[in-house]
Amino acid sequence: MRKQIAAANWKMNLTLTEAETLLNQLLATEHNLTSNQEAIFAVPAIYIPLATLKLSGKSNFFIAAQNCHPKSNGAYTGEISAPMLASVGVKHIVIGHSERREYFNESDAFLAEKTDAVLAAGSTPIFCCGEPLVIREAGTQNTFVEAQLINSLFHLSVDQITKVVIAYEPIWAIGTGKTATSEQAQEIHAYIRSVFASKYGQAIADQISILYGGSVKASNAIEIFSQPDVDGGLVGGASLVASEFTAIINALK
Ligand code: 13P
């Protein structure tokens, strides 16, 4: 049975004091995750030690990084590598968020290298894909997303692909308050699964968790997560409000 995951992406938000307050508020609530469910917090790298300390002992809670560099070490000023993150206990790394693709020109080939680096460090890539509005309006989102997956992930072995978590995030739904309908989410999640099935076989595709991201909130999480091919969410804005994100965790199947 594949994992059901509520992943918070704090992006570049919160001061230290605000981060601590949010973590304290999250900890004040009881979360009853089953063995099949995970809550993941992609915090700004500078808050990883704080979040690790605060959430230690909470079973099925994990800290994630929002990015890493493909090289293990070297003269890459300002960058953080996957082995460095693993050495401080961070074993989940978001790769290829649309904001990094757009603002930092991260290409499919570069994201393939990053994915390899995360897997080589023994960690889990949370690999993001998703189309801009013009592609959705043209109705070619399936082939657009398929190309992202083929270009960055199809070189992976069967063993490696089962370690990857996919996050489908339509760019037009990120931070806009405009969510894909649950039918739209299900349709493209099923398509993404079929893309993996065509390459790796249905049994392997059925093991891959595919998260939906884009204006997920407490009020829509249950409906979106209830779709058969939606295995949870990657959440931006609503993950900065403890009550919202708690409700989103509790909406997992
Ligand atoms: P919002 O939930 O704020 O739309 O952001 C989604 C996202 O980009 C998560 O990675």
Side-chain angles (χ1 to χ4, degrees), residues 38-76:
E38 293 179 352
I40 300 178
F41 296 83
V43 302
I46 196 169
Y47 303 143
I48 285 172
L50 169 76
T52 303
L53 192 70
K54 287 277 177 193
L55 298 181
S56 71
K58 289 274 283 180
S59 57
N60 292 358
F61 274 55
F62 299 96
I63 309 301
Q66 297 176 9
N67 180 35
C68 72
H69 193 273
K71 301 282 191 225
S72 314
N73 60 276
Y76 300 96

Side-chain angles (χ1 to χ4, degrees), residues 173-231:
I174 294 177
T176 57
K178 198 174 164 190
T179 322
T181 64
S182 49
E183 291 78 19
Q184 285 174 321
Q186 168 56 25
E187 187 188 22
I188 193 154
H189 280 231
Y191 186 75
I192 290 169
R193 201 175 302 288
S194 78
V195 168
F196 288 116
S198 70
K199 167 79 175 168
Y200 297 100
Q202 191 65 47
I204 296 297
D206 284 341
Q207 291 177 44
I208 299 174
S209 297
I210 307 175
L211 316 184
Y212 169 80
S215 299
V216 174
K217 304 184 270 289
S219 58
N220 59 26
I222 291 178
E223 192 189 337
I224 295 171
F225 296 176
S226 70
Q227 299 302 310
D229 286 291
V230 178
D231 305 309

